[in-house]
Amino acid sequence: PAPTAGPAPTAGPAATAGPAATPGPAPPTLFYVALDDEYRPLKVYRHELGADRSADVLVYEEPDPGFFVSLEQTESRRYILIRTRNHTTDEYRYIPVTQPTAPPRLLAAREAGVEYEVTHHEDSWIIRTNDGGAPDYRVVTAPVEGRAPGAPRDTWRELVPHRPGRMISSVACLSGYLVRQEIVEAVPTVVIRDLRHGSERELAFDEPVYWTAIEPGFEFQTRWLRFRYSSLSTPERVYEEELDTGRRVLRKEQEIPSGHRRDDYAVQRLYAPAPDGEQVPVSLLRRRDAEPGPETPVFLGGYGAYGIVAGAAFSPHRFSLVDRGFVVGIAHIRGGKDRGTRWYQEGKLGKKPNTFTDFIACAEHLADCGYGRRGRIAIGGGSAGGMLIGAVLNMRPELFGAAVAEVPFVDVLNTMLDETLPLTPPEWPEWGNPIERREDYDLLASYSPYDNVRPQDYPPILVTAGVSDPRVTYWEPAKWVARLRATKTDRNPLLLHTNMSAGHAGPGGRFEHLRELALRFCFLLWIFGYAK
């Protein structure tokens, strides 16, 4: 909750004007984000440690309920960043750490569709942006000082150019080095740039399909880069690599108490032809000693929303299925940025149906390639991935042998029509605004899982919900299950598990989380005849 007292806010143009205060000793200061009555993060406050909370100062308030506010800090530790964004647009303000009472200064004013992220090195901002016709992003620099507040983006100077299909997903600065992560065909790579000389090199790995993520921020004045690495068959490893020499040191490896041999498993990449000719990547994991055939059980997962990349990272839990003969697959469908920003744009708003037809194409291709058969492919997804599951079940129920929908976003049309829900206004750029546009209403009505349940046979389905979920309210999966039970023509199991002490990410605590996983796996093993 926000304090009940304090000075008037410094938002909008007033927050961007005036030079920074004269440097001096900074009091111990805490910046924090407060939520409004609709649970939206819209305000930033400043608190001096030891002072009464009623004296906290409102530093910034976002007037648009479609934009959410967050706080960041540059790796150099020199600037506090106030970020406001929705799914397609960014805006940053900054405060020097040594001058915490200075008003926040605008870095670049928001412009619809322009995304940018900011870090800092010496006297320059380093910015990852899609501005200037760069849907897969480029990296630019801008001077920190000597500019009018909110100076136009034409002062930005290109450092790393845009390359279509090679998406720059993040950047980080260490002293003298810029590290960026790029993604091509759902496989990431890490590029290290020496800012002194402009030379670059990529980190090398020995597997064709894997996942890696840089871990900056522990130190700035360092010659070591920390990153995480794993694949579908390789447990997570934490490495440090010396930036000057390329020398790599393994710092930690995930332990699997029951034992694990990477060479016992095969990892493959297939491409499924979509109805419009696009090639959809599918990552597969199976035991080497279990050749797939028509009776092989398959579990295919997918998400396909918000530009989130479905990374081929390690999960020890999958082996409960794989070691029993399952083939486990990840469908890198449109709606994510697995193949760049175009892949995302081809799976959102008016092109959202591509997400569903891509997933169906992946399932059909696996059957055509001898991985199981139609009717023996289980599918699963959560949240927006649960919407995917609900949509494809309505479209092609006979293709699937079972489905697990975790906290599924299935009452899409009604949710997008209710602007009082905290997440609805920020979600309109992703799904469309059915309140203002009839074409958006008609599109959402055409695929919303709840609204498209029809009298037909459905496979066995397990649905989960969390009673404290602020993102997908528990009544969405409940009413979807009720309509399915009232409408479907089969007698297959349809189970609803509502956790009375869980939110969107499931219950807290390691063992409760494992019990939730066990429930899903036991359901699949039961349906496929592994348990009676």
Side-chain angles (χ1 to χ4, degrees):
T4 57
T10 55
T16 68
T22 302
T29 303
L30 173 73
F31 288 87
Y32 63 93
V33 176
L35 307 178
D36 69 2
D37 293 338
E38 282 75 42
Y39 210 68
R40 297 179 176 120
L42 297 180
K43 298 178 181 180
V44 174
Y45 284 88
R46 185 179 70 246
H47 171 78
E48 290 191 13
L49 298 184
D52 190 273
R53 186 163 174 261
S54 63
D56 289 1
V57 176
L58 179 58
V59 176
Y60 176 77
E61 180 174 5
E62 172 55 45
D64 188 339
F67 281 73
F68 283 0
V69 175
S70 62
L71 284 167
E72 302 174 6
Q73 187 179 31
T74 60
E75 289 93 0
S76 66
R77 304 290 199 275
R78 287 180 57 184
Y79 293 96
I80 299 292
L81 302 174
I82 300 174
R83 183 183 189 182
T84 54
R85 75 181 312 266
N86 64 15
H87 287 300
T88 62
T89 305
D90 289 289
E91 185 174 73
Y92 276 84
R93 291 170 171 81
Y94 63 95
I95 300 171
V97 167
T98 57
Q99 304 166 45
T101 60
R105 302 187 70 191
L106 183 65
L107 197 149
R110 71 187 65 173
E111 180 179 314
V114 174
E115 301 173 64
Y116 70 98
E117 294 180 357
V118 180
T119 188
H120 164 260
H121 186 266
E122 295 182 350
D123 59 355
S124 296
W125 298 116
I126 295 184
I127 303 166
R128 183 188 78 105
T129 182
N130 66 351
D131 183 49
D136 285 327
Y137 303 93
R138 62 187 181 124
V139 180
V140 301
T141 63
V144 171
E145 301 297 345
R147 305 177 307 125
R153 287 183 294 277
D154 58 15
T155 64
W156 294 359
R157 297 293 177 261
E158 186 165 86
L159 183 67
V160 180
H162 171 256
R163 287 183 288 178
R166 191 175 181 94
M167 186 184 70
I168 301 173
S169 59
S170 65
V171 297
C173 269
L174 303 175
S175 179
Y177 293 89
L178 174 68
V179 183
R180 69 181 188 270
Q181 188 156 321
E182 302 179 344
I183 296 177
V184 181
E185 300 293 337
V187 177
T189 188
V190 176
V191 183
I192 299 171
R193 182 185 182 95
D194 188 324
L195 291 173
R196 298 163 297 182
H197 310 114
S199 59
E200 293 188 348
R201 66 180 179 87
E202 291 186 13
L203 300 190
F205 303 105
D206 61 359
E207 294 181 276
V209 180
Y210 59 86
W211 188 255
T212 187
I214 58 177
E215 295 278 337
F218 299 105
E219 293 181 272
F220 182 69
Q221 297 288 343
T222 180
R223 286 293 180 265
W224 293 89
L225 171 69
R226 181 174 295 184
F227 62 92
R228 296 176 182 268
Y229 173 89
S230 73
S231 75
L232 293 177
S233 61
T234 304
E236 184 178 81
R237 298 170 177 173
V238 177
Y239 289 100
E240 285 188 330
E241 182 153 325
E242 196 169 24
L243 295 166
D244 294 328
T245 67
R247 182 166 65 94
R248 187 175 300 179
V249 178
L250 177 64
R251 296 298 186 189
K252 183 179 180 180
E253 183 168 4
Q254 182 180 8
E255 294 184 12
I256 309 300
S258 58
H260 178 79
R261 287 171 49 86
R262 182 179 80 169
D263 293 342
D264 288 345
Y265 303 95
V267 176
Q268 296 171 271
R269 168 63 62 82
L270 302 179
Y271 284 85
D276 61 358
E278 289 283 3
Q279 297 294 308
V280 184
V282 186
S283 298
L284 295 178
L285 172 68
R286 64 175 178 85
R287 286 193 65 90
R288 288 190 186 276
D289 58 6
E291 285 297 323
E295 296 307 309
T296 299
V298 175
F299 181 66
L300 181 65
Y303 189 76
Y306 303 114
I308 294 173
V309 177
F314 185 82
S315 169
H317 312 302
R318 295 190 186 109
F319 295 91
S320 293
L321 298 179
V322 173
D323 286 340
R324 290 175 168 89
F326 275 71
V327 172
V328 174
I330 301 172
H332 303 279
I333 51 182
R334 279 176 280 187
K337 291 184 178 179
D338 305 60
R339 299 187 70 190
T341 301
R342 181 186 69 85
W343 206 242
Y344 169 43
Q345 293 170 343
E346 289 286 322
K348 64 179 293 192
L349 296 174
K351 297 182 178 181
K352 188 61 193 175
N354 286 333
T355 302
F356 315 134
T357 55
D358 281 1
F359 191 80
I360 291 169
C362 290
E364 291 183 321
H365 187 65
L366 290 178
D368 291 341
C369 293
Y371 294 91
R373 57 174 169 81
R374 290 165 176 82
R376 199 167 167 78
I377 299 173
I379 56 175
S383 193
M387 181 198 66
L388 163 72
I389 300 305
V392 301
L393 286 176
N394 288 332
M395 297 167 67
R396 292 289 305 279
E398 83 290 347
L399 181 58
F400 308 111
V404 178
E406 305 166 34
V407 292
F409 177 37
V410 284
D411 195 14
V412 182
L413 180 59
N414 283 318
T415 298
M416 289 298 102
L417 284 168
D418 188 353
E419 60 187 332
T420 67
L421 293 173
L423 290 179
T424 291
E427 296 287 296
W428 285 330
E430 178 76 16
W431 310 105
N433 186 343
I435 298 173
E436 296 185 355
R437 291 185 290 274
R438 179 56 188 255
E439 60 270 24
D440 290 351
Y441 182 100
D442 292 341
L443 178 68
L444 291 170
S446 72
Y447 68 75
S448 174
Y450 171 77
D451 296 286
N452 286 278
V453 172
R454 58 180 66 95
Q456 60 183 348
D457 286 356
Y458 285 83
I461 305 171
L462 170 65
V463 182
T464 69
V467 78
S468 301
D469 190 341
R471 298 188 184 186
V472 176
T473 46
Y474 68 89
W475 56 82
E476 286 203 31
K479 65 190 287 190
W480 179 51
V481 167
R483 176 165 282 189
L484 279 167
R485 286 175 175 162
T487 308
K488 70 190 187 80
T489 55
D490 61 85
R491 298 179 63 84
N492 289 324
L494 172 54
L495 309 180
L496 172 64
H497 173 67
T498 302
N499 193 309
M500 305 305 288
S501 61
H504 193 65
R510 177 178 56 170
F511 293 109
E512 288 302 314
H513 174 65
L514 291 175
R515 288 187 182 98
E516 288 262 323
L517 285 169
L519 171 67
R520 297 161 197 165
F521 289 163
C522 286
F523 172 76
L524 294 174
L525 294 172
W526 171 49
I527 296 301
F528 281 96
Y530 287 79
K532 303 298 183 185

